[in-house]
């Protein structure tokens, strides 16, 4: 339990977007943010909810130099009964602790974390949108605040939660994306930080994503950093293929982010009787399957888009269309299944949802 | 040329350390800092020198989430004639541009960069210490300031220069360090960001350094991320070995930082007639040489310590002493040669030094 969360409400309330479909992802913030400090002497302290806005930070703070920083991405949904619910928040809380361990940052107590989430979303409850597929995107993150230029673990950190109302990624129904298999830049390697949601992985990925987008692709598909041969994941999604009737997804090998949508998708697919394999899958195997017509479906899974069908794949100039560039039946079923549970329209038999109201 | 550098001097001048040997590295900052903004529309603009201190930054700024951030580390020295000189500043400026390219950040014009360095050091000239081995450590850095949670290259950046008076790393003469060859964590991999001075590499390195320091080692020696077999570099230094009369240093393969002290050391050593090889060197070759008594010397090279003798090496529990834990003759000669030129006590036949006074 947090001893006390001081709450300072904003006077100049921002305007809640009326038409959520017009809101760009992660650009419109709710009124408030949660902040809490840590140092080794006092532990976690000074929990507060304050108006979202700039805070004074010394440019000598370690975060600007050595990127000791981790984050999470999760969502809360408006139920048909008007209530609000979080999708598997404890999974994000646990993953953030694992990310922190990799870059020598302290974990926050799970109950304290959940309390902060609840309190912040409660304060900004009106910001949780209700349009189909919309949600409140929640961004907890933490960064090193020690001022000094020596490279070592910071002693002090700031923990912060921001929230953004977001529309469905696909206002007119889900839309297949084109992805480019990246054969030059590497995002992460076993032994490195790939499994952790820390800033450096994303900085490493920006150049390739930019090049891909200049060529008309919406995402990059990463290969492993050791052999540059095995499929890892998409920019901000894990990847799944349906090949010859079986569903295959790259195993978690240390350099792939253990996605919560990935895990949930596997549980749901298995509950429906599909065979799901987690294993190494080489780009050659994938290309071979595509050539022989055995690549039946491909999709990405992630918090932002939930499920994204892949309509086209490119590797070293070779181009493959999946499902004639359309949406496969398993992809659609998975999207409907997950978003149904998240929005509260389908029964939550897995007990994934955590209600805001206790 | 920068159009105008606005200068706002501090009223409450800080105290310049009298005894520089008591100053901890990177913890004492000079009075002022240089700031300049970038966005794609206006380019570089609003150059200013202001009192060093916190600045307001939105927690939604991309730097806190995706670590789009790069930095440099360089030094200015007080000459015996009282003047001030920079060590190879254009090399740092060029490296920062290369770092930026890797993480999709804009480069600053070289002359503008040099002008900013000159102006800032001029304003805080009294902060450049004069004790033997001391210097003004200069930290240019740049980070992404777009506010938003989508992962892409930021459109706006803040460029900043901080300076810190620093003592010789070795107030009582250079001191051999103990290093541990890391066989679990990986810092960088070919195709990744290892050659760039970007924050993520350092975040990835903190855990191993911490573990090593808990075991009594002052630094970690990294192996390559692909085969975990080839020597790469130390925490914040490149590494050189003298084996059987020859000097060997790992080749620049994309995951090693191209150190400016490394480059300068090679030039100096070659000018003295030593044979210097840049090539792959496996940990097995190194251990073999240590066992056979052919590992004559080992040292690190980097801006902070200039040259650091390695007195002990540990790999998977096996322990080797180099030069009986003392300082080898080449290590000492290199240290004296480099610091002599830097401090202005030895003639700068390589034209490495850039005088502050034009
Ligand atoms: C690199 C990466 N992979 C995969 C994912 C998907 O993970 P999740 O389903 O938990 O959102 C994300 C986004 O969170 C990501 O950033
Ligand atoms: C990872 C790493 N390697 C090597 C070096 C040495 O480079 P330089 O000699 O340019 O300081 C540094 C420090 O700058 C570093 O951070």
């Amino acid at each position: 339990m947090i001893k006390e969360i001081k709450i300072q409400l904003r006077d100049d309330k921002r305007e809640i977007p009326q038409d959520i479909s017009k809101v760009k992802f992660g650009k419109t913030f709710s009124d408030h943010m949660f902040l809490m400090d840590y140092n080794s002497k006092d532990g976690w302290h000074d929990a507060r909810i304050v108006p979202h806005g700039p805070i004074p930070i010394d440019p000598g703070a370690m975060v600007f130099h050595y990127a000791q920083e981790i984050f999470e991405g999760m969502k809360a949904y408006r139920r048909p009964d008007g209530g609000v619910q979080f999708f598997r928040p404890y999974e994000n809380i646990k993953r953030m602790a694992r990310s922190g361990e990799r870059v020598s940052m302290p974990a926050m107590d799970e109950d304290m974390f959940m309390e902060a989430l609840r309190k912040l979303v409660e304060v900004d409850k009106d910001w949780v949108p209700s349009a189909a597929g919309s949600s409140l995107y929640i961004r907890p993150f933490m960064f090193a605040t020690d001022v000094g230029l020596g490279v070592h673990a910071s002693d002090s950190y700031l923990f912060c939660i921001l929230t953004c109302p977001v529309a469905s990624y696909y206002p007119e129904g889900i839309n297949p994306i084109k992805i480019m298999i990246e054969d030059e830049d590497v995002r992460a390697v076993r032994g490195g930080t790939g499994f952790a949601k820390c800033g450096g992985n994303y900085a490493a990925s920006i150049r390739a994503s930019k090049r891909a987008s200049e060529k008309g692709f919406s995402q990059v598909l990463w290969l492993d950093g050791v052999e540059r041969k095995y499929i890892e994941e998409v920019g901000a999604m894990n990847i799944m293929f349906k090949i010859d009737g079986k569903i295959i997804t790259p195993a978690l090998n240390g350099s792939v982010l253990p996605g919560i949508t990935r895990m949930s998708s596997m549980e749901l697919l298995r509950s429906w009787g599909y065979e799901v394999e987690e294993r190494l899958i080489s780009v050659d195997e994938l290309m071979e399957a595509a050539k022989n017509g055995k690549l039946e479906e491909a999709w990405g899974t992630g918090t932002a888009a939930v499920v994204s069908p892949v309509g086209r794949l490119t590797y070293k100039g070779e181009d493959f269309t999946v499902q004639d560039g359309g949406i496969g039946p398993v992809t659609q079923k998975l999207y409907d299944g997950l978003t149904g549970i998240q929005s509260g329209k389908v029964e939550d038999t897995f007990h994934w949802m955590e209600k805001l109201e206790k």
Side-chain angles (χ1 to χ4, degrees), chain A:
Chain A
M1 284 292 294
I2 302 180
K3 218 165 52 186
E4 190 202 349
I5 302 179
K6 285 208 201 78
I7 299 181
Q8 182 204 337
L9 296 181
R10 85 178 300 134
D11 301 321
D12 54 329
K13 290 253 191 287
R14 293 170 171 175
E15 210 176 311
I16 298 176
Q18 286 313 301
D19 183 357
I20 189 73
S21 73
K22 297 232 167 75
V23 168
K24 254 189 90 178
F25 178 84
K27 278 285 188 188
T28 298
F29 293 90
S30 313
D31 273 332
H32 300 91
M33 61 186 181
F34 176 89
L35 298 176
M36 194 169 188
D37 293 301
Y38 175 92
N39 63 49
S40 60
K41 187 171 138 279
D42 304 316
W44 289 106
H45 63 279
D46 203 7
R48 55 208 188 271
I49 288 172
V50 296
H52 170 243
I55 49 180
I57 307 181
D58 197 296
M62 284 184 55
V63 63
F64 297 120
H65 305 262
Y66 310 125
Q68 216 194 350
E69 59 184 59
I70 50 174
F71 69 97
E72 269 304 325
M74 57 198 290
K75 281 180 172 175
Y77 296 83
R78 179 77 66 184
R79 292 194 308 273
D81 69 5
V84 170
Q85 57 188 14
F86 299 94
F87 179 63
R88 309 194 82 171
Y90 285 103
E91 295 299 334
N92 292 277
I93 293 174
K94 287 195 172 82
R95 186 169 65 188
M96 191 150 167
R98 291 194 305 267
S99 298
E101 203 278 321
R102 178 61 183 84
V103 290
S104 294
M105 294 171 74
M108 179 174 276
D109 174 83
E110 290 189 14
D111 292 333
M112 261 165 58
F113 199 141
M114 194 63 224
E115 201 184 335
L117 286 170
R118 277 188 198 285
K119 200 74 195 167
L120 180 66
V121 175
E122 206 173 278
V123 165
D124 281 335
K125 199 175 163 186
D126 294 345
W127 286 83
V128 184
S130 58
S134 71
S135 59
L136 188 74
Y137 180 80
I138 304 172
R139 168 59 56 93
F141 59 110
M142 196 201 301
F143 58 82
T145 52
D146 272 13
V147 176
L149 304 182
V151 184
H152 54 76
S154 180
D155 186 67
S156 59
Y157 298 90
L158 182 66
F159 175 86
C160 182
I161 309 175
L162 300 175
T163 69
C164 292
V166 296
S168 167
Y169 239 63
Y170 305 105
E172 291 131 46
I174 55 176
N175 229 325
I177 60 169
K178 298 180 205 169
I179 60 181
M180 201 183 104
I181 301 178
E182 173 67 25
D183 59 359
E184 188 178 340
D185 284 357
V186 170
R187 189 195 87 99
V189 66
R190 284 191 277 293
T193 57
F195 71 89
K197 241 174 134 63
C198 62
N201 300 336
Y202 296 82
S205 78
I206 289 174
R207 181 171 74 176
S209 305
K210 200 173 158 194
R211 284 185 193 145
S213 117
E214 281 158 9
K215 289 183 192 149
F217 296 89
S218 46
Q219 300 255 3
V220 152
L221 181 58
W222 296 102
L223 297 180
D224 78 284
V226 174
E227 303 190 49
R228 310 258 186 122
K229 179 176 160 184
Y230 297 103
I231 304 283
E232 299 225 306
E233 61 185 320
V234 193
M237 295 193 285
N238 295 284
I239 186 94
M240 299 188 171
F241 305 104
K242 183 156 172 275
I243 297 179
D244 208 10
K246 262 190 240 163
I247 293 161
I248 301 165
T249 191
L252 301 177
N253 60 354
S255 54
V256 169
L257 191 84
I260 293 158
T261 322
R262 173 186 182 276
M263 173 172 71
S264 309
S265 298
M266 291 197 299
E267 292 175 47
L268 204 51
L269 288 163
R270 283 177 178 145
S271 79
W272 290 333
Y274 290 100
E275 198 177 326
V276 186
E277 290 181 357
E278 289 181 85
R279 63 167 172 87
L280 284 177
I281 170 164
S282 70
V283 65
D284 292 341
E285 177 183 350
L286 182 68
M287 293 297 117
E288 197 57 28
K291 275 183 209 157
N292 301 341
K294 297 200 165 163
L295 177 59
E296 297 155 8
E297 297 185 43
W299 64 87
T301 66
T303 295
V306 190
V307 173
S308 260
V310 175
R312 218 178 101 202
L313 269 169
T314 292
Y315 179 56
K316 292 192 195 280
E318 269 199 283
D319 224 60
F320 298 94
T321 299
V322 191
Q323 272 279 333
D324 297 323
I327 301 159
V330 177
T331 309
Q332 185 71 54
K333 187 173 172 178
L334 183 62
Y335 179 81
D336 293 341
L338 284 170
T339 56
I341 294 172
Q342 291 168 337
S343 64
K345 282 170 200 139
V346 169
E347 201 200 337
D348 174 24
T349 50
F350 295 92
H351 306 291
W352 284 339
M353 306 310 295
E354 183 82 21
K355 289 201 164 111
L356 176 62
E357 315 78 27
K358 286 235 234 188

